[in-house]
Amino acid sequence: MMASMTWTHRCALALAFLYCLALPMAQAQPPSAAPASGAPALATEEPLPDVESLRSQLDRLPATADGNDAVRALQASYAALSAGANRIIEARTRELNDLNARLGELGTAPAPGTSEDADIKSQRQTLIRDRNAVDGEIRLARLIVVDARQRSAALRTRERDLFQAQLTDRAPSPLGAAFWRDLGQAW
């Protein structure tokens, strides 16, 4: 009976056998390595950039570039800095909301001259200090986004103006005699 089997039959039988062996192992593995907290797992989450480093990178970038490739690279750098600053804004806004909620749980500060528990007063001062620091970082990140967008827009405007100048250099103005002379000669 084995002699009448072709190579195709033998390969199909071997594949079916391997599939039957692999099936129980695939079912035994956990579906994913999700965190126990129930939060979605991020494959590779980059750490948040620092606002000061983004600002220094923005300050080091040139205001202009020559050539299409250099302009595209500079535009990409502006976009990357803006994306990094937006990531900071998103993350720090969540922190700011959490700090504001915790401050709301403590309630408003008592009127001057009245006493308050020293522990609550200390917590309130720490939360206010942390909230102001996070708020300042958000504001600086927003400034980076605005600066990057403005520089990118200025670069686009400069490139558009250069392109228009190149177009007008190639053809004489319709207000001049050379344009009409060339048109008459072509006619």
Side-chain angles (χ1 to χ4, degrees), residues 30-140:
S32 68
S37 65
L42 298 176
T44 55
E45 185 175 325
E46 296 178 21
L48 281 178
D50 187 23
V51 175
E52 289 83 21
S53 68
L54 289 178
R55 173 52 74 181
S56 66
Q57 288 175 13
L58 183 64
D59 290 340
R60 282 182 286 179
L61 288 176
T64 62
D66 294 328
N68 289 337
D69 292 337
V71 169
R72 285 189 194 110
L74 191 55
Q75 291 280 9
S77 297
Y78 287 140
L81 287 173
S82 184
N86 281 328
R87 285 183 48 224
I88 290 173
I89 292 169
E90 182 181 318
R92 297 298 185 243
T93 300
R94 286 191 301 257
E95 289 179 31
L96 184 65
N97 292 339
D98 290 344
L99 289 169
N100 284 333
R102 289 174 58 195
L103 272 171
E105 289 173 0
L106 287 179
T108 58
T114 59
S115 65
E116 182 179 30
D117 185 25
D119 186 43
I120 294 175
K121 184 177 181 178
S122 170
Q123 286 179 11
R124 182 177 287 115
Q125 289 173 347
T126 302
L127 288 173
I128 290 173
R129 185 182 65 241
D130 292 347
R131 181 189 64 186
N132 291 341
V134 169
D135 187 45
E137 194 170 353
I138 290 171
R139 290 173 191 249
L140 289 174

Side-chain angles (χ1 to χ4, degrees), residues 168-181:
T168 57
D169 283 347
R170 292 182 184 168
S173 171
L175 301 176
F179 176 80
W180 296 106
R181 186 177 47 244

Side-chain angles (χ1 to χ4, degrees), residues 1-18:
M1 179 167 168
M2 223 28 173
S4 66
M5 287 183 115
T6 65
W7 281 100
T8 309
H9 289 120
R10 290 179 186 161
C11 288
L13 185 61
L15 285 174
F17 179 73
L18 289 175

Side-chain angles (χ1 to χ4, degrees), residues 15-43:
L15 285 174
F17 179 73
L18 289 175
Y19 177 75
C20 290
L21 287 178
L23 187 62
M25 286 190 275
Q27 291 175 350
Q29 293 178 351
S32 68
S37 65
L42 298 176

